[in-house]
mmCIF file with all atom_site columns, all heavy atoms in Angstrom:
data_model
loop_
_atom_site.group_PDB
_atom_site.id
_atom_site.type_symbol
_atom_site.label_atom_id
_atom_site.label_alt_id
_atom_site.label_comp_id
_atom_site.label_asym_id
_atom_site.label_entity_id
_atom_site.label_seq_id
_atom_site.pdbx_PDB_ins_code
_atom_site.Cartn_x
_atom_site.Cartn_y
_atom_site.Cartn_z
_atom_site.occupancy
_atom_site.B_iso_or_equiv
_atom_site.pdbx_formal_charge
_atom_site.auth_seq_id
_atom_site.auth_comp_id
_atom_site.auth_asym_id
_atom_site.auth_atom_id
_atom_site.pdbx_PDB_model_num
ATOM   1   N N   . SER I 1 59  ? -27.652 37.500 -7.690  1.00 98.00 ? 88  SER I N   1
ATOM   2   C CA  . SER I 1 59  ? -27.738 36.045 -7.513  1.00 98.00 ? 88  SER I CA  1
ATOM   3   C C   . SER I 1 59  ? -26.440 35.541 -6.902  1.00 98.00 ? 88  SER I C   1
ATOM   4   O O   . SER I 1 59  ? -25.453 36.287 -6.825  1.00 98.00 ? 88  SER I O   1
ATOM   5   C CB  . SER I 1 59  ? -27.962 35.344 -8.865  1.00 98.00 ? 88  SER I CB  1
ATOM   6   O OG  . SER I 1 59  ? -26.790 35.416 -9.651  1.00 98.00 ? 88  SER I OG  1
ATOM   7   N N   . CYS I 1 60  ? -26.438 34.272 -6.530  1.00 98.00 ? 89  CYS I N   1
ATOM   8   C CA  . CYS I 1 60  ? -25.201 33.664 -6.026  1.00 98.00 ? 89  CYS I CA  1
ATOM   9   C C   . CYS I 1 60  ? -24.186 33.538 -7.155  1.00 98.00 ? 89  CYS I C   1
ATOM   10  O O   . CYS I 1 60  ? -22.999 33.761 -6.963  1.00 98.00 ? 89  CYS I O   1
ATOM   11  C CB  . CYS I 1 60  ? -25.505 32.291 -5.433  1.00 98.00 ? 89  CYS I CB  1
ATOM   12  S SG  . CYS I 1 60  ? -24.057 31.454 -4.776  1.00 98.00 ? 89  CYS I SG  1
ATOM   13  N N   . MET I 1 61  ? -24.670 33.179 -8.348  1.00 98.00 ? 90  MET I N   1
ATOM   14  C CA  . MET I 1 61  ? -23.764 33.089 -9.513  1.00 98.00 ? 90  MET I CA  1
ATOM   15  C C   . MET I 1 61  ? -23.083 34.434 -9.757  1.00 98.00 ? 90  MET I C   1
ATOM   16  O O   . MET I 1 61  ? -21.887 34.486 -10.061 1.00 98.00 ? 90  MET I O   1
ATOM   17  C CB  . MET I 1 61  ? -24.594 32.647 -10.725 1.00 98.00 ? 90  MET I CB  1
ATOM   18  C CG  . MET I 1 61  ? -23.925 32.826 -12.055 1.00 98.00 ? 90  MET I CG  1
ATOM   19  S SD  . MET I 1 61  ? -23.109 31.348 -12.632 1.00 98.00 ? 90  MET I SD  1
ATOM   20  C CE  . MET I 1 61  ? -21.969 32.077 -13.798 1.00 98.00 ? 90  MET I CE  1
ATOM   21  N N   . ALA I 1 62  ? -23.849 35.521 -9.609  1.00 98.00 ? 91  ALA I N   1
ATOM   22  C CA  . ALA I 1 62  ? -23.278 36.861 -9.771  1.00 98.00 ? 91  ALA I CA  1
ATOM   23  C C   . ALA I 1 62  ? -22.194 37.093 -8.725  1.00 98.00 ? 91  ALA I C   1
ATOM   24  O O   . ALA I 1 62  ? -21.116 37.620 -9.033  1.00 98.00 ? 91  ALA I O   1
ATOM   25  C CB  . ALA I 1 62  ? -24.368 37.922 -9.664  1.00 98.00 ? 91  ALA I CB  1
ATOM   26  N N   . LEU I 1 64  ? -20.359 34.855 -7.191  1.00 99.00 ? 93  LEU I N   1
ATOM   27  C CA  . LEU I 1 64  ? -19.197 34.007 -7.497  1.00 99.00 ? 93  LEU I CA  1
ATOM   28  C C   . LEU I 1 64  ? -18.375 34.627 -8.638  1.00 99.00 ? 93  LEU I C   1
ATOM   29  O O   . LEU I 1 64  ? -17.143 34.691 -8.573  1.00 99.00 ? 93  LEU I O   1
ATOM   30  C CB  . LEU I 1 64  ? -19.668 32.603 -7.905  1.00 99.00 ? 93  LEU I CB  1
ATOM   31  C CG  . LEU I 1 64  ? -20.272 31.735 -6.788  1.00 99.00 ? 93  LEU I CG  1
ATOM   32  C CD1 . LEU I 1 64  ? -21.078 30.582 -7.386  1.00 99.00 ? 93  LEU I CD1 1
ATOM   33  C CD2 . LEU I 1 64  ? -19.188 31.191 -5.865  1.00 99.00 ? 93  LEU I CD2 1
ATOM   34  N N   . THR I 1 85  ? -21.008 19.926 -7.216  1.00 98.00 ? 114 THR I N   1
ATOM   35  C CA  . THR I 1 85  ? -21.557 21.235 -6.880  1.00 98.00 ? 114 THR I CA  1
ATOM   36  C C   . THR I 1 85  ? -22.549 21.656 -7.946  1.00 98.00 ? 114 THR I C   1
ATOM   37  O O   . THR I 1 85  ? -22.745 20.953 -8.944  1.00 98.00 ? 114 THR I O   1
ATOM   38  C CB  . THR I 1 85  ? -20.436 22.295 -6.737  1.00 98.00 ? 114 THR I CB  1
ATOM   39  O OG1 . THR I 1 85  ? -21.014 23.532 -6.301  1.00 98.00 ? 114 THR I OG1 1
ATOM   40  C CG2 . THR I 1 85  ? -19.696 22.549 -8.049  1.00 98.00 ? 114 THR I CG2 1
ATOM   41  N N   . HIS I 1 86  ? -23.170 22.805 -7.731  1.00 98.00 ? 115 HIS I N   1
ATOM   42  C CA  . HIS I 1 86  ? -24.016 23.429 -8.752  1.00 98.00 ? 115 HIS I CA  1
ATOM   43  C C   . HIS I 1 86  ? -23.090 23.937 -9.846  1.00 98.00 ? 115 HIS I C   1
ATOM   44  O O   . HIS I 1 86  ? -21.961 24.357 -9.566  1.00 98.00 ? 115 HIS I O   1
ATOM   45  C CB  . HIS I 1 86  ? -24.758 24.600 -8.090  1.00 98.00 ? 115 HIS I CB  1
ATOM   46  C CG  . HIS I 1 86  ? -25.819 25.221 -8.938  1.00 98.00 ? 115 HIS I CG  1
ATOM   47  N ND1 . HIS I 1 86  ? -25.546 26.007 -10.027 1.00 98.00 ? 115 HIS I ND1 1
ATOM   48  C CD2 . HIS I 1 86  ? -27.169 25.176 -8.835  1.00 98.00 ? 115 HIS I CD2 1
ATOM   49  C CE1 . HIS I 1 86  ? -26.686 26.431 -10.558 1.00 98.00 ? 115 HIS I CE1 1
ATOM   50  N NE2 . HIS I 1 86  ? -27.680 25.931 -9.861  1.00 98.00 ? 115 HIS I NE2 1
ATOM   51  N N   . ALA I 1 88  ? -22.993 26.598 -11.287 1.00 98.00 ? 117 ALA I N   1
ATOM   52  C CA  . ALA I 1 88  ? -22.626 28.010 -11.104 1.00 98.00 ? 117 ALA I CA  1
ATOM   53  C C   . ALA I 1 88  ? -21.204 28.159 -10.549 1.00 98.00 ? 117 ALA I C   1
ATOM   54  O O   . ALA I 1 88  ? -20.494 29.097 -10.919 1.00 98.00 ? 117 ALA I O   1
ATOM   55  C CB  . ALA I 1 88  ? -23.610 28.702 -10.163 1.00 98.00 ? 117 ALA I CB  1
ATOM   56  N N   . THR I 1 89  ? -20.805 27.260 -9.664  1.00 98.00 ? 118 THR I N   1
ATOM   57  C CA  . THR I 1 89  ? -19.470 27.340 -9.049  1.00 98.00 ? 118 THR I CA  1
ATOM   58  C C   . THR I 1 89  ? -18.387 27.286 -10.131 1.00 98.00 ? 118 THR I C   1
ATOM   59  O O   . THR I 1 89  ? -17.392 28.010 -10.069 1.00 98.00 ? 118 THR I O   1
ATOM   60  C CB  . THR I 1 89  ? -19.245 26.169 -8.058  1.00 98.00 ? 118 THR I CB  1
ATOM   61  O OG1 . THR I 1 89  ? -20.462 25.864 -7.388  1.00 98.00 ? 118 THR I OG1 1
ATOM   62  C CG2 . THR I 1 89  ? -18.177 26.481 -7.041  1.00 98.00 ? 118 THR I CG2 1
ATOM   63  N N   . VAL I 1 131 ? -17.775 24.236 -2.153  1.00 98.00 ? 160 VAL I N   1
ATOM   64  C CA  . VAL I 1 131 ? -19.168 24.440 -1.758  1.00 98.00 ? 160 VAL I CA  1
ATOM   65  C C   . VAL I 1 131 ? -19.370 23.749 -0.408  1.00 98.00 ? 160 VAL I C   1
ATOM   66  O O   . VAL I 1 131 ? -18.866 22.645 -0.210  1.00 98.00 ? 160 VAL I O   1
ATOM   67  C CB  . VAL I 1 131 ? -20.149 23.899 -2.829  1.00 98.00 ? 160 VAL I CB  1
ATOM   68  C CG1 . VAL I 1 131 ? -19.929 22.418 -3.116  1.00 98.00 ? 160 VAL I CG1 1
ATOM   69  C CG2 . VAL I 1 131 ? -21.601 24.122 -2.411  1.00 98.00 ? 160 VAL I CG2 1
ATOM   70  N N   . ASP I 1 157 ? -18.569 28.883 -1.883  1.00 99.00 ? 186 ASP I N   1
ATOM   71  C CA  . ASP I 1 157 ? -19.949 28.884 -2.364  1.00 99.00 ? 186 ASP I CA  1
ATOM   72  C C   . ASP I 1 157 ? -20.831 28.449 -1.183  1.00 99.00 ? 186 ASP I C   1
ATOM   73  O O   . ASP I 1 157 ? -20.814 27.291 -0.766  1.00 99.00 ? 186 ASP I O   1
ATOM   74  C CB  . ASP I 1 157 ? -20.095 27.925 -3.551  1.00 99.00 ? 186 ASP I CB  1
ATOM   75  C CG  . ASP I 1 157 ? -21.486 27.972 -4.173  1.00 99.00 ? 186 ASP I CG  1
ATOM   76  O OD1 . ASP I 1 157 ? -22.446 28.322 -3.461  1.00 99.00 ? 186 ASP I OD1 1
ATOM   77  O OD2 . ASP I 1 157 ? -21.620 27.626 -5.362  1.00 99.00 ? 186 ASP I OD2 1
ATOM   78  N N   . ALA I 1 159 ? -24.202 28.831 -1.058  1.00 98.00 ? 188 ALA I N   1
ATOM   79  C CA  . ALA I 1 159 ? -25.588 28.913 -1.538  1.00 98.00 ? 188 ALA I CA  1
ATOM   80  C C   . ALA I 1 159 ? -26.564 28.121 -0.669  1.00 98.00 ? 188 ALA I C   1
ATOM   81  O O   . ALA I 1 159 ? -27.737 28.465 -0.581  1.00 98.00 ? 188 ALA I O   1
ATOM   82  C CB  . ALA I 1 159 ? -25.671 28.432 -2.981  1.00 98.00 ? 188 ALA I CB  1
ATOM   83  N N   . LEU I 1 160 ? -26.067 27.044 -0.039  1.00 98.00 ? 189 LEU I N   1
ATOM   84  C CA  . LEU I 1 160 ? -26.962 26.192 0.760   1.00 98.00 ? 189 LEU I CA  1
ATOM   85  C C   . LEU I 1 160 ? -26.605 26.287 2.235   1.00 98.00 ? 189 LEU I C   1
ATOM   86  O O   . LEU I 1 160 ? -26.944 25.388 3.003   1.00 98.00 ? 189 LEU I O   1
ATOM   87  C CB  . LEU I 1 160 ? -26.840 24.731 0.298   1.00 98.00 ? 189 LEU I CB  1
ATOM   88  C CG  . LEU I 1 160 ? -27.092 24.423 -1.175  1.00 98.00 ? 189 LEU I CG  1
ATOM   89  C CD1 . LEU I 1 160 ? -26.932 22.926 -1.442  1.00 98.00 ? 189 LEU I CD1 1
ATOM   90  C CD2 . LEU I 1 160 ? -28.483 24.872 -1.592  1.00 98.00 ? 189 LEU I CD2 1
ATOM   91  N N   . SER I 1 181 ? -26.984 32.444 -1.818  1.00 98.00 ? 210 SER I N   1
ATOM   92  C CA  . SER I 1 181 ? -28.100 32.471 -2.773  1.00 98.00 ? 210 SER I CA  1
ATOM   93  C C   . SER I 1 181 ? -29.425 32.681 -2.055  1.00 98.00 ? 210 SER I C   1
ATOM   94  O O   . SER I 1 181 ? -29.675 32.066 -1.017  1.00 98.00 ? 210 SER I O   1
ATOM   95  C CB  . SER I 1 181 ? -28.179 31.143 -3.534  1.00 98.00 ? 210 SER I CB  1
ATOM   96  O OG  . SER I 1 181 ? -29.334 31.120 -4.361  1.00 98.00 ? 210 SER I OG  1
ATOM   97  N N   . PHE I 1 182 ? -30.271 33.522 -2.647  1.00 98.00 ? 211 PHE I N   1
ATOM   98  C CA  . PHE I 1 182 ? -31.632 33.706 -2.124  1.00 98.00 ? 211 PHE I CA  1
ATOM   99  C C   . PHE I 1 182 ? -32.663 33.286 -3.168  1.00 98.00 ? 211 PHE I C   1
ATOM   100 O O   . PHE I 1 182 ? -33.727 33.867 -3.302  1.00 98.00 ? 211 PHE I O   1
ATOM   101 C CB  . PHE I 1 182 ? -31.839 35.162 -1.677  1.00 98.00 ? 211 PHE I CB  1
ATOM   102 C CG  . PHE I 1 182 ? -30.812 35.644 -0.691  1.00 98.00 ? 211 PHE I CG  1
ATOM   103 C CD1 . PHE I 1 182 ? -30.162 36.864 -0.870  1.00 98.00 ? 211 PHE I CD1 1
ATOM   104 C CD2 . PHE I 1 182 ? -30.464 34.869 0.413   1.00 98.00 ? 211 PHE I CD2 1
ATOM   105 C CE1 . PHE I 1 182 ? -29.201 37.310 0.026   1.00 98.00 ? 211 PHE I CE1 1
ATOM   106 C CE2 . PHE I 1 182 ? -29.491 35.305 1.327   1.00 98.00 ? 211 PHE I CE2 1
ATOM   107 C CZ  . PHE I 1 182 ? -28.862 36.524 1.121   1.00 98.00 ? 211 PHE I CZ  1
ATOM   108 N N   . TYR I 1 183 ? -32.308 32.263 -3.936  1.00 98.00 ? 212 TYR I N   1
ATOM   109 C CA  . TYR I 1 183 ? -33.219 31.631 -4.898  1.00 98.00 ? 212 TYR I CA  1
ATOM   110 C C   . TYR I 1 183 ? -34.361 30.989 -4.095  1.00 98.00 ? 212 TYR I C   1
ATOM   111 O O   . TYR I 1 183 ? -34.150 30.580 -2.950  1.00 98.00 ? 212 TYR I O   1
ATOM   112 C CB  . TYR I 1 183 ? -32.399 30.586 -5.676  1.00 98.00 ? 212 TYR I CB  1
ATOM   113 C CG  . TYR I 1 183 ? -33.150 29.845 -6.736  1.00 98.00 ? 212 TYR I CG  1
ATOM   114 C CD1 . TYR I 1 183 ? -33.445 30.445 -7.954  1.00 98.00 ? 212 TYR I CD1 1
ATOM   115 C CD2 . TYR I 1 183 ? -33.553 28.523 -6.528  1.00 98.00 ? 212 TYR I CD2 1
ATOM   116 C CE1 . TYR I 1 183 ? -34.134 29.754 -8.934  1.00 98.00 ? 212 TYR I CE1 1
ATOM   117 C CE2 . TYR I 1 183 ? -34.245 27.828 -7.499  1.00 98.00 ? 212 TYR I CE2 1
ATOM   118 C CZ  . TYR I 1 183 ? -34.537 28.447 -8.706  1.00 98.00 ? 212 TYR I CZ  1
ATOM   119 O OH  . TYR I 1 183 ? -35.222 27.760 -9.669  1.00 98.00 ? 212 TYR I OH  1
ATOM   120 N N   . LYS I 1 186 ? -34.005 27.944 -1.526  1.00 97.00 ? 215 LYS I N   1
ATOM   121 C CA  . LYS I 1 186 ? -32.878 27.924 -0.579  1.00 97.00 ? 215 LYS I CA  1
ATOM   122 C C   . LYS I 1 186 ? -33.357 28.296 0.835   1.00 97.00 ? 215 LYS I C   1
ATOM   123 O O   . LYS I 1 186 ? -34.540 28.504 1.043   1.00 97.00 ? 215 LYS I O   1
ATOM   124 C CB  . LYS I 1 186 ? -31.775 28.852 -1.079  1.00 97.00 ? 215 LYS I CB  1
ATOM   125 C CG  . LYS I 1 186 ? -31.417 28.639 -2.555  1.00 97.00 ? 215 LYS I CG  1
ATOM   126 C CD  . LYS I 1 186 ? -30.340 27.587 -2.792  1.00 97.00 ? 215 LYS I CD  1
ATOM   127 C CE  . LYS I 1 186 ? -30.358 27.066 -4.210  1.00 97.00 ? 215 LYS I CE  1
ATOM   128 N NZ  . LYS I 1 186 ? -29.090 27.058 -4.913  1.00 97.00 ? 215 LYS I NZ  1
ATOM   129 N N   . GLU I 1 192 ? -35.149 36.171 -6.599  1.00 98.00 ? 221 GLU I N   1
ATOM   130 C CA  . GLU I 1 192 ? -33.796 35.891 -7.084  1.00 98.00 ? 221 GLU I CA  1
ATOM   131 C C   . GLU I 1 192 ? -32.923 36.820 -6.255  1.00 98.00 ? 221 GLU I C   1
ATOM   132 O O   . GLU I 1 192 ? -33.361 37.896 -5.871  1.00 98.00 ? 221 GLU I O   1
ATOM   133 C CB  . GLU I 1 192 ? -33.622 36.268 -8.558  1.00 98.00 ? 221 GLU I CB  1
ATOM   134 C CG  . GLU I 1 192 ? -34.394 35.438 -9.558  1.00 98.00 ? 221 GLU I CG  1
ATOM   135 C CD  . GLU I 1 192 ? -33.651 34.162 -9.987  1.00 98.00 ? 221 GLU I CD  1
ATOM   136 O OE1 . GLU I 1 192 ? -32.612 33.830 -9.380  1.00 98.00 ? 221 GLU I OE1 1
ATOM   137 O OE2 . GLU I 1 192 ? -34.145 33.520 -10.924 1.00 98.00 ? 221 GLU I OE2 1
ATOM   138 N N   . GLY I 1 193 ? -31.679 36.438 -6.029  1.00 98.00 ? 222 GLY I N   1
ATOM   139 C CA  . GLY I 1 193 ? -30.814 37.349 -5.296  1.00 98.00 ? 222 GLY I CA  1
ATOM   140 C C   . GLY I 1 193 ? -29.682 36.611 -4.633  1.00 98.00 ? 222 GLY I C   1
ATOM   141 O O   . GLY I 1 193 ? -29.670 35.379 -4.575  1.00 98.00 ? 222 GLY I O   1
ATOM   142 N N   . TYR I 1 325 ? -26.165 16.905 -6.670  1.00 97.00 ? 354 TYR I N   1
ATOM   143 C CA  . TYR I 1 325 ? -26.531 17.583 -7.894  1.00 97.00 ? 354 TYR I CA  1
ATOM   144 C C   . TYR I 1 325 ? -26.656 16.520 -8.975  1.00 97.00 ? 354 TYR I C   1
ATOM   145 O O   . TYR I 1 325 ? -26.054 15.468 -8.854  1.00 97.00 ? 354 TYR I O   1
ATOM   146 C CB  . TYR I 1 325 ? -25.501 18.652 -8.227  1.00 97.00 ? 354 TYR I CB  1
ATOM   147 C CG  . TYR I 1 325 ? -25.594 19.806 -7.225  1.00 97.00 ? 354 TYR I CG  1
ATOM   148 C CD1 . TYR I 1 325 ? -24.840 19.778 -6.063  1.00 97.00 ? 354 TYR I CD1 1
ATOM   149 C CD2 . TYR I 1 325 ? -26.474 20.868 -7.435  1.00 97.00 ? 354 TYR I CD2 1
ATOM   150 C CE1 . TYR I 1 325 ? -24.954 20.815 -5.127  1.00 97.00 ? 354 TYR I CE1 1
ATOM   151 C CE2 . TYR I 1 325 ? -26.581 21.899 -6.514  1.00 97.00 ? 354 TYR I CE2 1
ATOM   152 C CZ  . TYR I 1 325 ? -25.832 21.863 -5.360  1.00 97.00 ? 354 TYR I CZ  1
ATOM   153 O OH  . TYR I 1 325 ? -25.950 22.856 -4.437  1.00 97.00 ? 354 TYR I OH  1
HETATM 154 C C1  . PLP E 2 .   ? -28.421 27.191 -6.108  1.00 75.06 ? 27  PLP E C1  1
HETATM 155 C C2  . PLP E 2 .   ? -26.961 27.234 -6.140  1.00 75.06 ? 27  PLP E C2  1
HETATM 156 C C3  . PLP E 2 .   ? -26.270 28.235 -6.838  1.00 75.06 ? 27  PLP E C3  1
HETATM 157 C C4  . PLP E 2 .   ? -26.956 29.221 -7.720  1.00 75.06 ? 27  PLP E C4  1
HETATM 158 O O1  . PLP E 2 .   ? -27.603 30.206 -6.991  1.00 75.06 ? 27  PLP E O1  1
HETATM 159 P P1  . PLP E 2 .   ? -28.321 31.416 -7.769  1.00 75.06 ? 27  PLP E P1  1
HETATM 160 O O2  . PLP E 2 .   ? -28.652 32.385 -6.693  1.00 75.06 ? 27  PLP E O2  1
HETATM 161 O O3  . PLP E 2 .   ? -29.546 30.828 -8.426  1.00 75.06 ? 27  PLP E O3  1
HETATM 162 O O4  . PLP E 2 .   ? -27.354 31.944 -8.759  1.00 75.06 ? 27  PLP E O4  1
HETATM 163 C C5  . PLP E 2 .   ? -24.891 28.267 -6.748  1.00 75.06 ? 27  PLP E C5  1
HETATM 164 N N1  . PLP E 2 .   ? -24.219 27.360 -6.024  1.00 75.06 ? 27  PLP E N1  1
HETATM 165 C C6  . PLP E 2 .   ? -24.840 26.373 -5.357  1.00 75.06 ? 27  PLP E C6  1
HETATM 166 C C7  . PLP E 2 .   ? -24.034 25.410 -4.569  1.00 75.06 ? 27  PLP E C7  1
HETATM 167 C C8  . PLP E 2 .   ? -26.240 26.268 -5.410  1.00 75.06 ? 27  PLP E C8  1
HETATM 168 O O5  . PLP E 2 .   ? -26.839 25.254 -4.771  1.00 75.06 ? 27  PLP E O5  1
#
Side-chain angles (χ1 to χ4, degrees):
S88 71
C89 180
M90 166 96 201
L93 290 162
T114 185
H115 189 288
T118 324
V160 57
D186 185 334
L189 304 180
S210 174
F211 306 132
Y212 181 76
K215 311 272 160 130
E221 292 274 9
Y354 290 90

